[in-house]
Amino acid sequence: MALDLNEYIAAGFALTPAERLEAARVLRLSVDRDTDERQTEIDAAWEDEIDRRLADVTSGGAELVDGHEGLAAILAELAARVR
């Protein structure tokens, strides 16, 4: 017979603090695994994007901008939008 959630929680309170921490850690990892099903696909897409951008820079196809100048331009654009 399967226990319901309240019974699992009650049983958890019978564990030592160290056991509860370990149980919480394992349960948390299981949630991460469930939500990260597409992480391999996401990582591969980012790798492709990084490779594309690097190729643009090394081939001279990208217009490079000084970091301070770029930030100033972004801040100016944002300021213009809120007016």
Side-chain angles (χ1 to χ4, degrees):
M1 174 192 316
L3 300 175
D4 73 7
L5 180 59
N6 290 328
E7 291 171 314
Y8 278 111
I9 293 171
F13 287 128
L15 300 172
T16 67
E19 291 170 329
R20 288 195 308 271
L21 282 172
E22 179 62 10
R25 185 187 71 77
V26 171
L27 289 170
R28 177 67 178 130
L29 287 173
S30 73
V31 171
D32 289 345
R33 265 184 262 124
D34 291 345
T35 58
D36 292 345
E37 291 174 352
R38 297 187 56 226
Q39 193 60 50
T40 302
E41 180 183 339
I42 293 166
D43 291 344
W46 271 113
E47 287 294 329
D48 291 345
E49 181 65 15
I50 291 166
D51 290 344
R52 185 190 64 75
R53 290 181 187 195
L54 181 59
D56 281 349
V57 170
T58 56
S59 71
E63 179 184 344
L64 302 181
V65 178
D66 175 77
H68 294 290
E69 292 173 18
L71 181 57
I74 291 168
L75 292 173
E77 174 69 24
L78 290 173
R81 289 182 183 196
V82 296
R83 290 182 188 160

